[in-house]
C-alpha cells in the first residue's frame, strides 16, 4: 500500500491501531500549545528507562500506520525533567507534521528508544562563553541545554540567539528565557549569565538582520558588548536549516573555531533542525 493511503488510517485520540513496533516507546501526550499557524509545542510522558543528554534528539512518529513515519526531533526539555517536550513546525502536507499538529492530550506518540546527537556539552572543549545560534525550531535543543545546570558549570556566559521570520515565532524562546530566570534549579546561574538575542527578518522589529549578517558585520558583538569570537574563549553550537548551518559554520571557521563531535570534542558543533 502506498504510504499516503497508510497515513489515511490515522485515528486521533485512540490507542495504537497497530502493534507498537519493537524498539519503540508508546507515550501519552500531556500538553499541546500552538504558537502560530506554523509552530507548536507538545509534551509527552517520559519512559522511566529513557536516559539522554540535554541537546540530543529522538525519532518521533504516530501510531497511525503499520509502518509509521518517523522524524528526528530534538528533545526541548532538560535531561532531569519528568516529561519530554518538543517544539515543532507544521509542514503543509508533511507526512508526519500534517497529522502531528492535530494531536491532543491523551493521544499516543511513538518514540524510538535511542537518543543521539552532537549538540551536547560533551562535544565541546571547555571555554568561557557559549554561543547557541538558532533559527526557527532550531531553538529546541538549546531549550534543553539552557535549563541544564551542567551548561552553567561549563561556561561562564551563555548567549542564545534566535532568528525567525516573524516576531510571533520568537514567543517560545521568550517564554523559555523567562522560565530560566525563575527556575529553581538554574535561575541563580541564568540570571546575568544567560543572554537572549533575538532578530526577525520578515517584519519590522528592533533587529531585522539574519544572524549571519550580524556575525559578519560585528553588530552582534557590539550589541552584546563582547569581543569578537575567539577560539581561546568562545564555543559555538548551531541549529537551523541546512543553508543556515552551512553559512554559520563557514563564519565560525573564519573566526578559527573547529567542528567537534562526541568522539573528538572541539570548539563548535552543529545539528540540523530536521523537519522541513
Ligand atoms: P529570511 O527570512 O531572510 O529567509 P526558515 O523558517 O525558512 O527556516 O527561516 C528561519 C529564519 O532563518 C528566517 O529568519 C530566515 O531568514 C533565516 N535564514 C534562512 N536562511 C538562512 C541562512 N542561510 N543564514 C542565516 N539565516 C537564514
Amino acid at each position: 500500500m502506498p504510504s499516503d493511503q497508510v497515513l489515511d488510517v490515522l485515528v486521533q485520540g485512540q490507542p495504537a491501531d497497530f502493534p507498537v513496533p519493537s524498539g519503540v516507546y508508546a507515550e501519552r501526550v500531556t500538553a499541546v500549545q500552538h504558537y502560530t499557524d506554523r509552530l507548536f509545542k507538545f509534551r509527552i510522558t517520559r519512559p522511566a528507562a529513557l536516559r539522554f543528554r540535554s541537546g540530543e534528539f529522538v525519532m518521533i512518529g504516530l501510531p497511525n500506520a503499520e509502518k509509521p513515519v518517523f522524524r528526528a526531533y530534538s528533545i526541548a526539555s532538560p535531561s532531569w525533567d519528568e516529561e519530554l517536550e518538543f517544539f515543532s513546525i507544521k509542514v503543509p502536507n508533511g507526512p508526519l507534521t500534517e497529522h502531528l499538529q492535530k494531536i491532543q492530550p491523551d493521544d499516543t506518540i511513538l518514540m524510538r528508544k535511542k537518543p543521539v546527537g552532537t549538540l551536547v556539552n560533551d562535544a565541546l572543549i571547555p571555554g568561557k562563553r557559549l554561543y547557541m545560534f538558532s533559527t526557527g525550531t532550531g531553538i529546541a535543543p538549546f531549550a534543553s541545554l539552557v535549563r541544564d545546570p551542567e551548561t552553567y558549570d561549563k561556561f561562564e556566559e551563555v548567549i542564545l540567539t534566535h532568528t525567525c521570520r516573524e516576531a510571533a515565532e520568537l514567543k517560545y524562546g521568550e517564554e523559555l528565557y523567562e522560565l530560566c530566570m525563575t527556575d529553581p534549579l538554574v535561575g541563580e546561574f541564568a540570571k546575568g549569565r544567560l543572554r537572549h538575542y533575538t532578530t526577525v527578518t520578515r517584519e519590522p522589529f528592533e533587529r531585522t538582520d539574519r544572524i549571519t549578517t550580524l556575525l559578519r558585520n560585528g553588530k552582534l558583538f557590539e550589541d552584546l558588548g563582547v569581543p569578537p569570537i575567539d577560539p581561546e574563549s568562545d564555543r559555538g553550537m548551531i541549529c537551523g536549516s541546512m543553508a543556515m548551518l552551512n553559512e554559520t559554520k563557514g563564519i565560525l571557521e573564519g573566526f578559527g573555531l573547529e567542528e567537534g563531535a562526541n568522539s573528538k570534542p572541539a570548539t563548535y558543533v552543529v545539528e540540523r533542525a530536521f523537519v522541513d
Side-chain angles (χ1 to χ4, degrees):
M1 208 193 308
S3 61
D4 283 1
Q5 286 178 27
V6 173
L7 284 168
D8 283 345
V9 190
L10 175 73
V11 182
Q12 292 289 348
Q14 301 294 319
D17 299 322
F18 299 93
V20 174
S22 65
V24 169
Y25 295 115
E27 295 301 317
R28 187 173 55 79
V29 175
T30 59
V32 182
Q33 185 179 339
H34 292 266
Y35 286 90
T36 66
D37 54 6
R38 290 204 324 137
L39 296 173
F40 71 111
K41 85 168 175 195
F42 59 97
R43 292 176 69 87
I44 64 172
T45 50
R46 177 175 176 163
L50 180 79
R51 295 280 172 276
F52 69 97
R53 294 176 298 170
S54 295
E56 287 189 313
F57 67 87
V58 285
M59 304 300 292
I60 291 283
L62 284 170
N64 59 350
E66 217 164 332
K67 286 195 177 155
V69 175
F70 281 88
R71 291 284 182 268
Y73 272 85
S74 292
I75 301 174
S77 44
S79 55
W80 50 260
D81 204 338
E82 282 170 16
E83 293 184 341
L84 300 175
E85 180 169 310
F86 301 94
F87 185 45
S88 180
I89 195 152
K90 306 173 192 177
V91 184
N93 304 317
L96 176 62
T97 64
E98 184 192 5
H99 302 294
L100 192 63
Q101 64 180 279
K102 296 179 195 142
I103 52 167
Q104 306 276 348
D106 291 330
D107 283 352
T108 302
I109 294 278
L110 302 180
M111 190 176 93
R112 288 220 176 106
K113 290 191 173 169
K114 187 146 176 45
V116 284
T118 50
L119 291 187
V120 291
N121 283 316
D122 292 347
L124 290 175
I125 55 176
K128 180 172 172 226
R129 189 178 294 119
L130 173 61
Y131 284 93
M132 300 169 165
F133 297 106
S134 68
T135 54
T137 55
I139 194 171
F142 305 139
S144 173
L145 284 157
V146 296
R147 280 183 280 173
D148 191 329
E150 191 200 325
T151 306
Y152 302 94
D153 284 347
K154 197 159 172 180
F155 300 98
E156 282 172 33
E157 194 174 13
V158 179
I159 296 166
L160 170 62
T161 87
H162 194 201
T163 302
C164 292
R165 297 179 185 189
E166 297 165 14
E169 296 175 337
L170 296 175
K171 180 127 191 272
Y172 180 81
E174 289 164 355
E175 286 178 0
L176 168 72
Y177 180 76
E178 290 305 317
L179 195 69
C180 285
M181 292 301 134
T182 54
D183 187 280
L185 201 60
V186 297
E188 234 175 273
F189 312 124
K191 277 191 200 110
R193 289 169 60 196
L194 172 65
R195 305 182 67 181
H196 186 214
Y197 184 88
T198 50
T199 82
V200 165
T201 50
R202 298 197 190 180
E203 64 179 19
F205 192 70
E206 189 188 348
R207 282 181 287 269
T208 52
D209 285 313
R210 289 179 170 190
I211 195 67
T212 39
T213 306
L214 297 159
L215 273 162
R216 283 201 188 93
N217 65 16
K219 180 88 175 18
L220 170 69
F221 312 120
E222 203 180 293
D223 288 346
L224 293 168
V226 297
I229 289 176
D230 176 346
E232 283 300 308
S233 53
D234 296 320
R235 304 290 170 257
M237 291 182 167
I238 317 171
C239 192
S241 64
M242 211 57 195
M244 178 272 192
L245 290 192
N246 288 336
E247 235 182 288
T248 313
K249 270 169 76 131
I251 296 170
L252 295 193
E253 287 178 10
F255 282 113
L257 266 50
E258 287 173 12
E259 185 168 358
N262 280 296
S263 55
K264 190 173 176 289
T267 46
Y268 85 90
V269 281
V270 292
E271 202 102 86
R272 223 181 126 209
F274 308 91
V275 181
D276 54 19

